[in-house]
Amino acid sequence: MGLVKRFVFLGSKELGLEVLRTTWRLRPEALQAVITFDDSADTRSVLQQFVAFGEVTGVPVHVAKNSRHAEEIVTSVSPDLCLVVCWYWLLSESVIQMLPAGSIGVHNSLLPKYRGGSPLVWAIINGETEAGFSLFSFAQEMDEGDVWLQETVGISPRDTIDMVSHNIQHKLLETLDARWCALLDGEIRPNRQRHELATYCAQRFPGDSRIDWHWSAERIFNFIRALSPPYPPAFISYQDKQILVAEADVFERPYFGMPGQVARAGDAGVFVVCGDNRAVVLKTLIVDGVRQPARNVFPSIKIRLD
């Protein structure tokens, strides 16, 4: 990629907004337009902050109706580069090819690991001890383009996805602050991914957040912290209700019983036996939008969870 004089930003959510603010601050004359979409139904939406950014800076902010509308805006601006963060519509090959410097985006994994959807969720479910971000070029196949910038953050055994996301965002903004201008000026060269090391993530759906008590206690605990607020939490199915898990822990000693059996309920929490003869301790649950101690929801050792 040579000198980039003009770029367009496509994105949403808090991460996208912070990346937008950082890259504009570093090279304001290069940012030609912002394209976002109406995600106001999502609790993570910051749509109004995107609109306010345009009002304050004078940069045109477009709320695209669909992917075709977004591509029409990109084509009309004719930038050198598209910077894409938290964007959920694919750019067509024809649009990517028309951009002299192509499109680059942020992926919350250390590519080539965890290509695909929800990479950080899967990394925490799998008990990874590190994660990070990759700033990479879009290519024909999913997440396989060259990597421009990549940094690592650690994951401790008690970190929730919100904590790890915050650490990744901080590292990304810190890295952009130091290197964005050098990237635009053609002073950074990308690295080809080692495709033979690639792993992939399947798209997740709402029903995939249901806890399976036949799993090991460690996997269930990782599952809960990977799907913790402010993201849609892991849930338990009980008496035709979805009960969300807000806080849990792992009991460190063996606990023999049947998977899903409530073995103890009290002030310390609700101990549920898992598939490896250990227990997860449920501490705080959300029922019909109300947070409450788990012992209020599952008070009896006669309860069996599916």
Side-chain angles (χ1 to χ4, degrees):
M1 182 166 67
L3 182 66
V4 173
K5 294 183 178 180
R6 299 160 50 87
F7 77 94
V8 166
F9 178 90
L10 296 88
S12 66
K13 309 296 185 293
E14 181 185 354
L15 176 61
L17 182 64
E18 292 305 318
V19 169
L20 170 63
R21 288 170 171 165
T22 298
T23 53
W24 173 81
R25 172 175 55 80
L26 293 168
R27 192 65 66 83
E29 71 278 7
L31 179 60
Q32 301 301 298
V34 175
I35 306 174
T36 188
F37 55 89
D38 187 353
D39 62 349
S40 53
D42 190 327
T43 57
R44 298 170 296 161
S45 174
V46 290
L47 176 60
Q48 293 310 310
Q49 286 94 315
F50 272 96
V51 173
F53 172 86
E55 293 171 349
V56 170
T57 64
V59 177
V61 174
H62 305 270
V63 181
K65 300 173 184 176
N66 49 44
S67 59
R68 182 176 179 180
H69 184 204
E71 292 190 349
E72 289 172 353
I73 298 166
V74 172
T75 302
S76 68
V77 175
S78 190
D80 301 317
L81 171 75
C82 281
L83 174 60
V84 183
V85 185
C86 299
W87 184 258
Y88 303 105
W89 298 327
L90 293 176
L91 291 175
S92 66
E93 187 65 20
S94 61
V95 168
I96 293 174
Q97 291 297 327
M98 67 161 275
L99 301 167
S103 292
I104 60 175
V106 175
H107 190 71
N108 275 351
S109 85
L110 300 171
L111 292 172
K113 291 184 177 180
Y114 293 100
R115 293 174 176 172
S118 306
L120 188 54
V121 171
W122 284 113
I124 296 174
I125 288 174
N126 290 340
E128 298 282 5
T129 58
E130 63 179 25
F133 74 86
S134 301
L135 189 69
F136 72 106
S137 289
F138 286 9
Q140 196 164 18
E141 297 299 325
M142 180 173 60
D143 301 334
E144 72 163 16
D146 293 348
V147 174
W148 294 88
L149 301 171
Q150 186 175 81
E151 294 290 344
T152 301
V153 301
I155 305 176
S156 79
R158 291 292 185 270
D159 282 348
T160 65
I161 193 167
D162 187 42
M163 297 172 185
V164 181
S165 296
H166 176 80
N167 292 340
I168 290 174
Q169 177 172 313
H170 177 77
K171 180 66 74 171
L172 170 61
L173 298 177
E174 182 181 73
T175 302
L176 287 172
D177 201 57
R179 307 190 70 187
W180 176 245
C181 290
L183 190 150
L184 294 182
D185 292 340
E187 298 170 8
I188 296 175
R189 306 307 306 166
N191 295 312
R192 178 182 175 274
Q193 292 188 42
R194 295 183 61 185
H195 302 298
E196 71 275 13
L197 301 180
T199 60
Y200 295 86
C201 306
Q203 196 67 40
R204 295 186 58 80
F205 297 94
D208 298 335
S209 297
R210 182 177 182 271
I211 293 171
D212 185 336
W213 296 104
H214 290 85
W215 294 338
S216 70
E218 182 178 1
R219 181 172 179 81
I220 291 173
F221 177 64
N222 289 342
F223 190 77
I224 291 168
R225 65 194 183 99
L227 299 167
S228 60
Y231 297 88
F235 69 86
I236 300 161
S237 292
Y238 182 67
Q239 294 183 343
D240 298 325
K241 270 193 174 185
Q242 281 192 5
I243 297 172
L244 310 180
V245 181
E247 184 184 7
D249 207 340
V250 177
F251 186 59
E252 296 300 332
R253 306 296 298 170
Y255 219 128
F256 302 111
M258 300 302 294
Q261 178 179 355
V262 173
R264 189 192 307 177
D267 291 343
V270 174
F271 292 63
V272 184
V273 180
C274 305
D276 61 346
N277 287 320
R278 293 182 66 198
V280 162
V281 185
L282 303 175
K283 293 183 174 294
T284 308
L285 304 176
I286 303 172
V287 183
D288 295 329
V290 179
R291 292 173 66 99
Q292 54 189 293
R295 67 179 182 275
N296 292 356
V297 183
F298 302 127
S300 171
I301 61 172
K302 294 181 180 181
I303 293 173
R304 299 293 186 272
L305 303 175
D306 295 334

